[in-house]
Amino acid sequence: MRLLIVEDEPTLGQQLRNALEGAGYAVDLATDGEEGLYLGSNEQYDAIILDLGLPEIDGLTVLDRWRKEGKVTPVLVLTARDSWSDKVAGLDAGADDYVAKPFQTEELIARLRALIRRASGNASAELTAGDIRLDTRSGKVTRGGEPVKLTAQEYKLLSYLLHHKGKVVSRTELIEHIYDQDFDRDSNTIEVFVTRIRKKLGADVITTIRGLGYSLEEPADA
């Protein structure tokens, strides 16, 4: 899953980026409203963390422009503590949730997980396909109740496919959603990770749709 942080306070922005990368996300960081608006409009993200008090263009204006462009990416806004007017304004502008500063990083990550799940139609914190289970809270993957060890990138790819179970996901979409903007998009590593996941979870877990991409389906006998 790929996230965008738009935060002008350098220390907080980097702390958030480190924490979210440690939780398994690919993260881009913008330090002002202009850069944030551009990235949110032109790159693909699964969720965005948006500070309201930004230089160049304020956060409410950025959010309003995204929504007028038709962007439906879940947005969590950061507001000043006890500023109920900021919370109301953010929600009215199209935010999906908010966290007041200062906040606990664990709460912010939990709220992001919930936003991403809801956006893809998943209510539970546990994603499943047959006897494969991925717990988004702990990051653990099991098959038939037995733990399966995946690398960070294998986990990201499996998580994205499980979030979009039953849909055909192109190679380009996978690259856009599991890597940050600096990744070499001509790389063939997606194919490598798919092969590795099949070896660990079963050859039939991911289907290649020739010319279109990959699909993870619920087994017919599930």
Side-chain angles (χ1 to χ4, degrees):
M1 295 292 168
R2 186 181 177 198
L3 307 177
L4 171 64
I5 300 170
V6 190
E7 169 60 60
D8 65 311
E9 205 287 301
T11 300
L12 176 58
Q14 194 57 53
Q15 287 174 344
L16 281 174
R17 183 175 196 168
N18 292 342
L20 290 165
E21 287 179 341
Y25 296 98
V27 182
D28 294 334
L29 174 61
T31 56
D32 61 59
E34 186 174 6
E35 182 185 14
L37 175 63
Y38 176 81
L39 288 175
S41 296
N42 293 283
E43 297 288 338
Q44 298 298 316
Y45 296 102
D46 296 287
I48 297 173
I49 301 169
L50 176 67
D51 187 23
L52 295 185
L54 296 168
E56 306 299 336
I57 306 174
D58 69 87
L60 285 177
T61 300
V62 170
L63 179 55
D64 183 62
R65 290 189 187 179
W66 283 335
R67 294 315 189 211
K68 286 180 177 177
E69 291 172 359
K71 296 292 182 182
V72 296
T73 307
V75 175
L76 184 152
V77 298
L78 302 181
T79 71
R81 176 174 288 278
D82 298 328
S83 178
W84 64 268
S85 59
D86 280 352
K87 299 170 186 176
V88 171
L91 293 171
D92 282 346
D96 299 274
D97 200 355
Y98 65 84
V99 171
K101 297 179 181 180
F103 53 82
Q104 294 294 323
T105 304
E106 292 79 4
E107 178 189 358
L108 182 142
I109 294 175
R111 288 178 177 272
L112 282 172
R113 284 198 302 262
L115 287 179
I116 293 170
R117 288 198 308 270
R118 289 199 295 269
S120 59
N122 295 289
S124 173
E126 189 174 71
L127 307 176
T128 65
D131 63 352
I132 297 172
R133 280 166 170 65
L134 184 151
D135 191 323
T136 61
R137 296 161 298 187
S138 66
K140 294 181 179 179
V141 176
T142 61
R143 178 156 199 181
E146 295 298 319
V148 178
K149 188 174 181 179
L150 300 180
T151 67
Q153 299 300 345
E154 290 165 3
Y155 176 90
K156 290 178 184 178
L157 193 152
L158 178 65
S159 175
Y160 192 83
L161 290 176
L162 281 169
H163 273 93
H164 298 84
K165 184 172 62 178
K167 299 177 181 178
V168 178
V169 180
S170 70
R171 177 179 174 277
T172 298
E173 182 177 346
L174 284 170
I175 290 173
E176 287 177 340
H177 284 268
I178 69 174
Y179 294 109
D180 61 35
Q181 65 185 121
D182 297 325
F183 179 72
D184 175 11
R185 298 191 175 187
D186 291 329
S187 171
N188 67 347
T189 53
I190 294 296
E191 289 81 359
V192 173
F193 293 142
V194 168
T195 299
R196 291 179 182 175
I197 291 171
R198 285 171 172 158
K199 288 181 178 178
K200 295 179 179 182
L201 293 176
D204 59 344
V205 66
I206 299 173
T207 302
T208 299
I209 311 298
R210 188 173 299 277
L212 296 176
Y214 302 97
S215 180
L216 194 155
E217 305 281 348
E218 191 74 41
D221 58 351

